[in-house]
């Protein structure tokens, strides 16, 4: 008995008798031929040509349009249509609701900012030398007064120099103190406008004192070095005030260290006013008399 092919084992494959009967193809068997019912391409084209000839008019005949096609009279308009058109009310004008327009925020145009030219050459070095020389002179002069160095008579010598003033003893202490304070701040480059204002005040007072002691008045050619020195110190103090301390100092990052503007004018005016007030109230002499 033949086994089902699904139940075959490898041993059964060696013996083909156990395999179910397989139909064999015999080449001599008759083949059934079915009749062809579809039309060929030539037959389709012939049928299409016949249909076109049947629908086309004959060569000798001419198609004549009907008389109604050439009628020029317009179609009669009935009175009912006219009455109906008269009763139609005119259309109302269309109205459109205006939608509110929301304001659109427009970004302002960028403002071109000019970058500061960082190339200053030797300007800052020159300002450093100016500060050092002015500050060093004020420090040396004040220290010499306080400690009687270099043959200086000290505070007693200033008291004798200011003996004709009502507050000479107080001025003998205040003047070297202001010199020392302004000198230290100028050397360090710290609080430049204020330090220069203090220097203007103290050198201005000393210039008025020297000018008051000489007898030549405004004859600059007759001035002695004792008059010229405080006058030149006052000029240098004003120069430092308007130029700024420069980049070589503690306040190098400040704007007024490189480009002083309003602060220089304010501090310069305050320094000159302080010198005039100290002279007026400290000596009792009107500088404008």
């Amino acid at each position: 008995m033949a086994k089902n092919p699904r139940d075959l084992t490898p041993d059964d494959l060696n013996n083909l008798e156990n395999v179910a009967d397989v139909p064999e193809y015999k080449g001599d068997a008759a083949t059934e031929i079915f009749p062809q019912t579809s039309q060929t391409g030539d037959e389709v084209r012939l049928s299409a040509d016949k249909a076109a000839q049947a629908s086309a008019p004959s060569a000798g005949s001419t198609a004549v349009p009907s008389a109604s096609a050439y009628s020029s009279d317009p179609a009669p308009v009935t009175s009912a249509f006219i009455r109906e058109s008269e009763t139609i009310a005119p259309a109302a004008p269309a109205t459109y609701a205006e939608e509110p327009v929301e304001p659109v925020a427009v970004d302002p145009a960028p403002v071109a900012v000019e970058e500061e030219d960082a190339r200053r050459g030797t300007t800052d070095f020159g300002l450093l030398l100016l500060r050092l020389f002015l500050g060093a002179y004020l420090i040396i002069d004040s220290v010499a007064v306080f400690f009687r160095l270099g043959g200086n008579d000290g505070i007693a010598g200033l008291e004798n120099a200011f003996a004709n003033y009502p507050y000479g003893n107080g001025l003998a202490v205040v003047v070297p103190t202001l010199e020392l304070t302004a000198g230290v701040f100028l050397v360090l480059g710290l609080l430049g406008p204020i330090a220069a204002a203090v220097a203007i005040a103290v050198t201005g007072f000393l210039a008025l004192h020297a000018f008051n002691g000489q007898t030549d008045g405004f004859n600059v050619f007759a001035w002695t070095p004792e008059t010229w020195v405080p006058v030149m110190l006052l000029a240098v103090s004003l120069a430092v005030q308007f130029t700024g301390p420069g980049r070589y100092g503690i306040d190098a990052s400040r704007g007024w260290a490189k480009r002083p503007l309003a602060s220089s004018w304010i501090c310069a005016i305050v320094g000159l006013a302080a010198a005039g007030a100290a002279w007026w109230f400290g000596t009792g002499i009107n500088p404008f008399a």
Side-chain angles (χ1 to χ4, degrees), residues 195-205 234 237-238 241 267-272 275:
V198 175
I200 291 172
V202 66
T203 55
F205 177 84
L234 174 61
S237 300
L238 288 171
Q241 181 66 264
C267 292
I269 294 173
V270 169
L272 292 174

Side-chain angles (χ1 to χ4, degrees), residues 52-140:
Q53 292 176 1
S55 61
S58 61
S61 62
T62 303
V64 179
S66 61
S68 61
Y70 294 95
S71 177
S72 60
D73 297 336
V77 180
T78 61
S79 59
F81 178 76
I82 295 175
R83 288 193 299 271
E84 183 179 358
S85 63
E86 291 177 353
T87 58
I88 297 176
T95 58
Y96 301 93
E98 296 183 358
E99 297 181 357
V101 180
E102 297 181 358
V104 180
V106 180
D107 296 335
V111 180
V113 179
E114 296 182 359
E115 296 183 358
E116 181 183 357
D117 190 2
R119 297 174 297 179
R120 291 169 56 91
T122 58
T123 302
D124 296 305
F125 182 71
L127 293 176
L128 174 63
L129 295 179
L130 192 64
R131 281 179 21 235
L132 291 179
F133 289 149
L134 177 60
Y137 178 86
L138 295 177
I139 292 174
I140 292 172

Side-chain angles (χ1 to χ4, degrees), residues 157-209:
L158 284 180
E159 290 177 351
N160 294 330
F162 300 152
N164 296 329
Y165 304 148
Y167 301 97
N169 295 336
L171 292 174
V173 177
V174 172
V175 169
T177 302
L178 293 178
E179 284 183 334
L180 181 61
T181 303
V184 171
F185 278 85
L186 286 174
V187 170
L188 296 177
L190 179 62
L191 300 177
I194 298 177
V198 175
I200 291 172
V202 66
T203 55
F205 177 84
L206 293 176
L208 290 174
H209 172 69

